[in-house]
Amino acid sequence: MAPLELSRRELLAAFLGSAVAAQACRRPEASGAPVPGALVDRAVQSGHRLRAGGPLPRAAEAERVDVLVVGAGIAGLSAAWRLAGAGVTDFRVLELDAKAGGTARSGRSAVSAYPWGAHYLPAPLESSGPVVRLLRELGAVVGEDARGRPEYAEALRVQEPEERLFYRGSWYEGLYLRAGASPEDLRQLARFEARMARFAAARDAKGRRAFTVPVGACSDDAEWTQLDRLSMAAWLAQEGFTSPRLRWLVDYACRDDYGAEAAFTSAWAGIWYFAARQDGESQQSGAEGFLTWPEGNGHLVAALRAAAGAQRVRTGVLVHTVEPEGEGWRVHGLEGDTPRAWHARQVVFAGPRYVAQHVVAPWRAERPAWADAFAYSPWVVANLHLHRKPAGRGFPLAWDNVLYESRSLGYVVATHQRLQAVDVGPTVLTWYLPLSGEDVKGERARMLSAGYAEYERLVMADLAVAHPGVREDAERLEVMRWGHAMVRPRVGFLWGGAREAAGRSLSAGAGPSLHFAHSDLGGLALFEEAQWHGVRAAEAALAGLGRAPSGSSWL
């Protein structure tokens, strides 16, 4: 990949926008001695051997297991969790990376644990389903309210202050910029919120919610799914939502959850963001419904891995072929440079579709029709270690700190959940940058063309606009590039049939025995979707073993 050759201003404008570039270049303190650090990803190497061409080595002998799970992200670990919960012991989980968890993985320093991706879980409104089951196992559910809905441990809720927004020199509370808002801005905000509440309350003739968690439980009536045929930006224009502040909020939401601007996001997905986690009766949505830990969803990764049995999870294994053999599947992989093989009666493939089409032999032989429907947004996540918490003007330091004029999403504070004063002591800031343009391949190439020196300039310049002295307090910066961080719900993708086709089990011998699980099958890169599909695939594998799930389905 050819390195970038840009001036500092050009670099900042290209990644963060012209407003950040102009402000940063007016501040001499934004530049200075580079902060020590490194790129810590394997974005270029990991998995690229699958596309390099030519056969990879194979082992002659295969280890035999009842079930093999390929992939130890949330979907794969949830499948393993379900298998263990049903009493299955003869299974293995194989993971390419050195650590399990995928984009929910985390790191740790002497100061704090911190996330490398997903950093919160919206608290479920319903009392059933796999997410609540897991939270009960963790002791996070402490009771029920008058309507029978779960109540969560206060220590796991996002501590106040929850969110703030930086705009033109000052911090303001919340994510909507109310300072200086016109009466028309506020009227449109109220109308938008009322509209989302109506979407949240909407039911079809079968009683299904129009928008809920997971996507598989949503109504598939055309009244709602037709919203997938236009972009969220087009829907806003169609409905007369012209307020720049409201349009910024909606665009931020799409970039935050989907890694794409509103102009490139399905209107169905955009509305889902605001409607699915409220019931239309109360306003339980937003930060008051968030559960989080210093390490983000890495806490849930550890819980799933422990429940599945850590000894069953093998990392550093590149699975390169899954092919039918007899009444099951033969799986070939490389552990380092050593060929390994397994023969499994049932397989759960819990990797994304862009990997599956290179690994699953029937799809490698004939490229599936759904392949071009799946697109993935690249992201950059950086963890900045500071001697002390950053100072700023206006509303105090919060858990989520958003920069209005930047293309980044700002940062979350890893130490925020310690229940200590937030203005003292060392901390770790986790900074997020989605590359949200329409051309995902071009965005990915641009992301990979930048090295540590460029990302150090980007992160420090972005933060210095809001925190002029931040460079003096910086100890170390580590940067993770996620080439395919999350599936992108483009216009027409969610209800166009590709997800359903890509999720159908394949047979070897008598019946279905290769099952698929990943958040991309839900169309939204969320913990709930990954877990739902992982549990669903595990229950299909249990049925294939002739072992009906004990008790009722966990779904």
Side-chain angles (χ1 to χ4, degrees):
M1 185 69 64
L4 286 177
E5 294 184 2
L6 301 173
S7 69
R8 182 168 179 269
R9 180 183 284 271
E10 289 171 335
L11 177 74
L12 299 181
F15 281 86
L16 302 176
S18 57
V20 172
Q23 293 180 70
C25 290
R26 287 197 300 265
R27 294 176 178 271
E29 70 272 15
S31 61
V35 176
L39 296 176
V40 296
D41 59 71
R42 297 170 62 202
V44 177
Q45 300 89 352
S46 295
H48 285 203
R49 297 174 72 180
L50 296 174
R51 300 198 301 269
L56 292 172
R58 298 184 174 207
E61 301 296 323
E63 177 185 352
R64 303 186 75 86
V65 294
D66 280 343
V67 186
L68 191 69
V69 179
V70 179
I74 295 300
L77 291 175
S78 295
W81 170 61
R82 180 64 182 102
L83 292 170
V88 177
T89 58
D90 189 18
F91 70 88
R92 301 288 184 274
V93 183
L94 306 179
E95 168 58 33
L96 168 63
D97 219 333
K99 291 183 66 175
T103 55
R105 61 186 290 185
S106 60
R108 181 177 292 276
S109 72
V111 172
S112 177
Y114 46 84
W116 275 121
H119 55 276
Y120 67 89
L121 176 67
L125 292 174
E126 304 300 328
S127 59
S128 61
V131 177
V132 171
R133 177 182 286 269
L134 176 63
L135 292 173
R136 289 186 191 280
E137 289 183 11
L138 292 175
V141 179
V142 295
E144 294 183 346
D145 65 15
R147 293 188 292 175
R149 293 185 168 177
E151 294 181 333
Y152 299 97
E154 190 62 31
L156 300 183
R157 292 182 179 273
V158 174
Q159 303 301 308
E160 295 183 354
E162 298 162 350
E163 300 161 324
R164 65 174 182 167
L165 187 64
F166 184 80
Y167 179 68
R168 295 189 178 179
S170 290
W171 289 98
Y172 299 91
E173 183 178 9
L175 288 181
Y176 181 83
L177 185 59
R178 293 182 177 273
S182 69
E184 178 58 20
D185 287 327
L186 298 177
R187 277 193 294 270
Q188 289 196 29
L189 175 64
R191 182 163 66 89
F192 178 81
E193 290 176 337
R195 192 71 186 277
M196 295 302 110
R198 290 198 296 273
F199 278 126
R203 305 289 191 276
D204 65 13
K206 297 178 182 178
R208 297 174 298 181
R209 291 183 58 184
F211 300 92
T212 191
V213 183
V215 170
C218 295
S219 172
D220 60 1
D221 283 4
E223 179 181 3
W224 315 113
T225 61
Q226 66 180 341
L227 291 163
D228 190 41
R229 300 175 190 166
L230 74 164
S231 73
M232 189 59 183
W235 183 84
L236 290 171
Q238 174 183 290
E239 299 298 317
F241 291 113
T242 58
S243 166
R245 293 167 187 246
L246 175 60
R247 294 176 75 90
W248 179 92
L249 178 67
V250 174
D251 195 67
Y252 167 83
C254 293
R255 291 186 298 116
D256 183 34
D257 258 24
Y258 311 136
E261 297 166 23
F264 315 130
T265 300
S266 157
W268 191 95
I271 292 167
W272 186 98
Y273 177 97
F274 291 96
R277 294 193 175 106
Q278 57 170 308
D279 57 14
E281 300 171 9
S282 65
Q283 292 297 315
Q284 187 176 349
S285 62
E288 71 272 19
F290 292 163
L291 306 177
T292 191
W293 300 262
E295 65 269 40
N297 287 3
H299 186 86
L300 302 173
V301 169
L304 287 169
R305 189 169 185 266
Q311 75 281 2
R312 299 190 181 102
V313 181
R314 293 177 66 171
T315 58
V317 179
L318 170 65
V319 170
H320 61 77
T321 302
V322 179
E323 58 189 8
E325 182 180 75
E327 294 297 309
W329 296 82
R330 191 176 181 94
V331 176
H332 292 276
L334 293 174
E335 192 166 19
D337 292 323
T338 304
R340 304 289 188 198
W342 296 263
H343 183 277
R345 295 168 59 192
Q346 298 283 316
V347 173
V348 173
F349 192 95
R353 298 319 90 195
Y354 71 87
V355 173
Q357 62 185 286
H358 292 288
V359 171
V360 176
W363 290 344
R364 191 161 59 195
E366 182 178 355
R367 192 167 188 266
W370 46 257
D372 290 335
F374 287 79
Y376 300 82
S377 296
W379 280 65
V380 179
V381 182
N383 276 293
L384 178 64
H385 302 253
L386 298 175
H387 291 296
R388 58 182 175 180
K389 294 181 174 66
R393 195 175 85 182
F395 194 76
L397 187 66
W399 170 66
D400 192 10
N401 305 266
V402 179
L403 309 172
Y404 189 91
E405 296 177 291
S406 176
R407 289 180 187 164
S408 79
L409 298 177
Y411 62 89
V412 295
V413 180
T415 55
H416 191 72
Q417 293 299 99
R418 287 185 175 179
L419 306 180
Q420 298 173 351
V422 298
D423 58 349
V424 296
T427 191
V428 181
L429 307 185
T430 306
W431 178 89
Y432 293 88
L433 174 67
L435 283 87
S436 55
E438 184 175 18
D439 177 10
V440 291
K441 290 183 179 179
E443 292 283 64
R444 189 171 300 116
R446 187 159 65 100
M447 178 196 74
L448 294 175
S449 69
Y452 175 76
E454 287 76 28
Y455 285 115
E456 191 273 344
R457 292 185 201 125
L458 289 171
V459 174
M460 299 312 297
D462 199 34
L463 295 178
V465 171
H467 306 296
V470 69
R471 184 177 288 277
E472 299 173 8
D473 295 323
E475 289 186 320
R476 181 170 176 81
L477 177 67
E478 295 182 330
V479 180
M480 180 90 71
R481 299 169 299 173
W482 296 100
H484 302 77
M486 54 174 56
V487 68
R488 182 177 286 195
R490 298 185 294 184
V491 174
F493 169 67
L494 287 162
W495 297 99
R499 295 186 303 111
E500 181 183 6
R504 295 189 186 114
S505 297
L506 300 181
S507 297
S513 50
L514 175 56
H515 315 285
F516 299 97
H518 195 269
S519 61
D520 61 5
L521 293 176
L524 308 177
L526 304 170
F527 181 94
E528 302 98 316
E529 293 295 329
Q531 185 167 55
W532 192 87
H533 283 281
V535 170
R536 175 194 53 77
E539 294 195 344
L542 288 171
L545 294 175
R547 299 179 59 167
S550 57
S552 61
S553 167
W554 286 15
L555 300 175

